[in-house]
Amino acid sequence: MMTSDMNENRPVSKVLVLDDSPAHANAIKRFCDEHNLVGLKVRKNRLLSVLRSNIDLGAILFSESYGGSLEESAEIALKISTVRPELPIIIRRETSPTLDGLPEGMRRVLCAAYLAGDMAPLRKVIDEYIFSLEYPNALVRGILEITESILSSLFKDVSITWDTPCIVRDRIIFGEVFSLIPLESAWCRGYMMMQAEEQAILELLDRHGMCDAPADFRDLNSLLGEITNLIWGSFKNRYLGDADALARNQVQVPLLVNHKQKYISFGTANPQLCFVYHLTNEQSGHTVKLHQRFIFNLSWSPEDFSEVAQDIGAVVEAGELDLF
Amino acid sequence: MSKILVVDDSSTVRDEVAGFLRKNGLDVETAVDGKDGLAKMKSSPGIKLVISDVNMPNMDGLTMVEKIRGELVNTTVNIIMLTTESSPAMKERGKAAGVKGWIVKPFKGDAVLETFRKLAS
């Protein structure tokens, strides 16, 4: 976790490393370090439960020997693909950097192969599947600043920290409630999503005396809606300006939510920009997590990204009255 | 006693603003959107100050202002927008519609309480 006074804005991506070879462990670790990847290991008997949890993954680095035999490995790869079809599975082969010679079913769920001695194909896949969208540092930093400022204004006596922003490909929804708001500009079109766990937020509301009666899910909805609205407003004022976005071609795609699987799709395989905030009560030490995701599924032109000149900033601070 | 109308679709904001004003001895009524706000303006002639959000469902805040000034021909009530919007174009539209002042959220009650008292008197 990084804290608000650190200055690391470049997003990372978490990859699950399913490769037990001690001979190649260092090479994989070095590759991860050099390419902004955070390699995570998991015990084999916990693999599926971990895959079903919210760890915001970008990809799976697999090995053909992971299962002990090729048949076992093929079975594991198929299970991974069934549980998390949105995650690219990249396999390390022993002799050939291709999918040749692998069982047909296994080949279908793998996206590429590489050799430990030549990581170039792995780099290409990581660039293609994870870091395919370039997020300007100023944007990432700005989102953190805006969100921290708004959360601080809403919750007194709470310290706010955040994890290093990450690029994710999974679509699993964190918690039980989320908000969604469109972002429209000349350089981006998509959504911002805020996700939360119901009980944790209800307890936060009660501890801070923010409701007259014990907080219920309507209070939670309202709070999450207002947090979303405030972040959206600041984001809009800072980055979207008065762009004539509405006059342009308004392409839309259906969003799909599967409640049973806790899964949301925005109609694209594009990776998402994810932030996780930790709100910690300074007295009790109790922490609440908020997940924030940016999904630019309709349009993304970072080369046109710019910050809007802050017309009001120099004259009137947020919260102060500007009398006409 | 003169009354203040707080119009916001977010119950969090309504409770925060109305609660703060009531705690400071002011008489407050609330509305959930521009349409509701317009209805409250019709039914409560004692309202002297309206504090309204801009982006709301059913009827946005600036349309409500235009209707208060136009349809209700109420040119005396003071109207302050409390919103995430800060674009000059939006503020210009508000000014033209008869808005008295503009506050960019989040709400900081202590900074505006005395002005609200004056505008509501």
Side-chain angles (χ1 to χ4, degrees):
Chain A
M1 186 191 299
M2 62 183 273
T3 55
S4 53
D5 58 357
M6 293 178 73
N7 190 27
E8 178 54 67
N9 300 310
R10 192 171 169 209
V12 298
S13 189
K14 297 177 199 165
V15 293
L16 204 55
V17 182
L18 305 180
D19 193 329
D20 293 333
S21 166
H24 304 305
N26 280 340
I28 292 172
K29 184 179 182 313
R30 197 163 51 245
F31 179 87
C32 288
D33 291 345
E34 288 169 358
H35 294 85
N36 266 33
L37 300 175
V38 178
L40 305 173
K41 301 284 261 184
V42 60
R43 285 201 301 272
K44 281 190 178 116
N45 62 352
R46 295 202 58 233
L47 174 60
L48 292 183
S49 65
V50 164
L51 283 172
R52 289 192 178 98
S53 63
N54 295 99
I55 46 177
D56 299 330
L57 286 171
I60 309 278
L61 301 191
F62 197 59
S63 151
E64 70 175 291
S65 59
Y66 180 71
S69 69
L70 193 55
E71 290 70 28
E72 272 295 307
S73 295
E75 200 175 310
I76 293 170
L78 287 169
K79 279 182 185 164
I80 293 169
S81 177
T82 302
V83 176
R84 306 297 297 277
E86 69 273 27
L87 292 176
I89 307 173
I90 308 145
I91 190 167
R92 182 179 62 74
R93 304 291 313 269
E94 298 297 338
T95 54
S96 162
T98 71
L99 301 180
D100 296 344
L102 295 172
E104 178 55 32
M106 186 185 200
R107 289 171 58 160
R108 272 205 314 275
V109 301
L110 300 174
C111 72
Y114 72 101
L115 293 173
D118 179 14
M119 298 283 201
L122 178 57
R123 188 177 307 120
K124 184 168 175 285
V125 174
I126 294 299
D127 286 344
E128 181 183 346
Y129 283 84
I130 298 180
F131 297 114
S132 56
L133 302 184
E134 180 205 338
Y135 297 104
N137 280 345
L139 174 67
V140 175
R141 187 176 60 247
I143 290 169
L144 289 169
E145 285 171 5
I146 286 169
T147 309
E148 192 217 4
S149 160
I150 281 157
L151 293 176
S152 299
S153 74
L154 287 172
F155 302 103
K156 310 299 177 199
D157 304 322
V158 162
S159 71
I160 295 155
T161 56
W162 52 81
D163 297 346
T164 302
C166 63
I167 307 295
V168 299
R169 283 186 60 91
D170 71 30
R171 304 289 183 260
I172 292 183
I173 296 165
F174 169 74
E176 296 83 24
V177 57
F178 71 89
S179 65
L180 199 57
I181 193 161
L183 302 172
E184 300 276 350
S185 81
W187 60 272
C188 75
R189 291 188 65 220
Y191 294 88
M192 181 182 77
M193 182 162 51
M194 299 294 297
Q195 304 174 334
E197 290 174 314
E198 182 171 279
Q199 193 54 39
I201 299 282
L202 292 180
E203 287 170 11
L204 182 75
L205 284 167
D206 286 337
R207 263 197 309 277
H208 287 260
M210 292 173 78
C211 304
D212 295 335
D216 64 21
F217 79 92
R218 292 174 191 83
D219 299 311
L220 161 66
N221 293 351
S222 177
L223 177 72
L224 198 63
E226 188 53 21
I227 290 172
T228 306
N229 181 44
L230 289 170
I231 296 172
W232 171 79
S234 296
F235 188 93
K236 183 165 172 276
N237 294 333
R238 186 157 170 176
Y239 297 120
L240 305 186
D242 291 326
D244 56 352
L246 295 175
R248 294 181 296 112
N249 182 22
Q250 287 293 285
V251 173
Q252 293 291 347
V253 299
L255 309 184
L256 194 145
V257 179
N258 183 317
H259 295 278
K260 189 177 174 193
Q261 303 294 335
K262 297 188 74 171
Y263 174 97
I264 182 165
S265 164
F266 293 83
T268 169
N270 283 351
Q272 304 174 357
L273 178 59
C274 177
F275 300 82
V276 178
Y277 301 91
H278 304 263
L279 284 63
T280 306
N281 184 294
E282 288 166 357
Q283 279 154 10
S284 70
H286 192 273
T287 296
V288 171
K289 269 204 292 186
L290 271 179
H291 282 223
Q292 179 187 47
R293 286 189 178 206
F294 289 82
I295 307 102
F296 299 106
N297 59 328
L298 299 171
S299 167
W300 181 246
S301 306
E303 64 278 11
D304 296 327
F305 165 80
S306 65
E307 287 195 38
V308 177
Q310 294 295 292
D311 297 287
I312 65 135
V315 187
V316 183
E317 292 271 332
E320 290 183 5
L321 178 60
D322 182 13
L323 275 174
F324 298 150
Chain B
M1 187 182 183
S2 55
K3 198 178 275 186
I4 298 176
L5 176 64
V6 176
V7 189
D8 202 304
D9 57 320
S10 162
S11 63
T12 302
V13 175
R14 283 199 311 275
D15 293 349
E16 182 191 9
V17 177
F20 173 82
L21 296 175
R22 285 186 185 119
K23 200 175 74 185
N24 284 282
L26 293 158
D27 187 14
V28 183
E29 193 161 340
T30 60
V32 298
D33 57 33
K35 201 172 171 185
D36 188 26
L38 196 62
K40 295 275 166 63
M41 283 300 297
K42 284 179 188 166
S43 61
S44 299
I47 293 169
K48 298 286 187 215
L49 171 65
V50 177
I51 301 162
S52 176
D53 191 11
V54 170
N55 296 309
M56 294 183 287
N58 298 319
M59 183 188 291
D60 69 81
L62 290 181
T63 302
M64 179 191 74
V65 175
E66 286 161 356
K67 286 182 181 293
I68 289 171
R69 300 298 190 209
E71 284 180 16
L72 304 190
V73 204
N74 185 335
T75 54
T76 55
V77 67
N78 289 309
I79 305 176
I80 303 287
M81 307 312 288
L82 173 63
T83 173
T84 57
E85 297 282 355
S86 71
S87 78
M90 193 70 87
K91 290 170 88 171
E92 275 308 310
R93 189 185 153 201
K95 207 170 170 180
V99 167
K100 180 87 176 175
W102 199 277
I103 302 172
V104 177
K105 287 180 181 177
F107 178 68
K108 294 174 185 168
D110 292 334
V112 292
L113 179 62
E114 285 315 308
T115 311
F116 281 7
R117 279 192 201 283
K118 281 180 200 154
L119 293 174
S121 63

